[in-house]
Amino acid sequence: MEIYNQTPMLPNKKCKLLRLLLTFFLSYGIYLITACVWYFYNWYYALSALLLSFVLMGILRSKLLHSSIPTAQQEFTYSDKDIAAWYLHRYVCPLQDN
């Protein structure tokens, strides 16, 4: 039987700020992309960008989840904040784990 790990706590303010930015992008990136497209083009392109960015964010979220969370724990549901914490803990801030 495998022991499950809790969502890691990041060690310093730099990693916590990166987690906040990644969480914000995963949560609201769809709307930011849509608003930028609507500002520069028109509402038809913005609607198309909304649909496309929704699919692309889902793919990005899935890739981050499957590349950073241990295989035995991937059956659980994780929020954007948890996915960002696991990804940063595994790839960006791994050595500061003391």
Side-chain angles (χ1 to χ4, degrees), residues 19-90:
R19 184 193 69 201
L20 179 69
L21 291 173
L22 185 58
T23 302
F24 182 78
F25 180 71
L26 288 174
S27 298
Y28 302 110
I30 298 167
Y31 307 115
L32 291 173
I33 292 168
T34 303
C36 289
V37 170
W38 181 50
Y39 180 75
F40 289 113
Y41 296 103
N42 60 18
W43 66 270
Y44 181 75
Y45 289 132
L47 184 62
S48 300
L50 176 70
L51 297 174
L52 183 63
S53 63
F54 182 75
V55 171
L56 292 177
M57 280 297 172
I59 292 170
L60 178 66
R61 198 175 283 123
S62 175
K63 288 288 188 184
L64 290 177
L65 185 134
H66 290 295
S67 69
S68 60
I69 296 178
T71 307
Q73 293 182 231
Q74 290 178 1
E75 63 191 40
F76 300 119
T77 304
Y78 290 99
S79 66
D80 291 335
K81 183 178 178 182
D82 294 337
I83 293 171
W86 274 105
Y87 178 76
L88 292 172
H89 174 73
R90 186 160 224 175

Side-chain angles (χ1 to χ4, degrees), residues 3-17:
I3 297 175
Y4 297 113
N5 300 327
Q6 290 183 341
T7 302
M9 300 299 291
L10 297 173
N12 55 21
K13 290 184 180 184
K14 176 187 167 193
C15 292
K16 290 178 183 178
L17 178 65

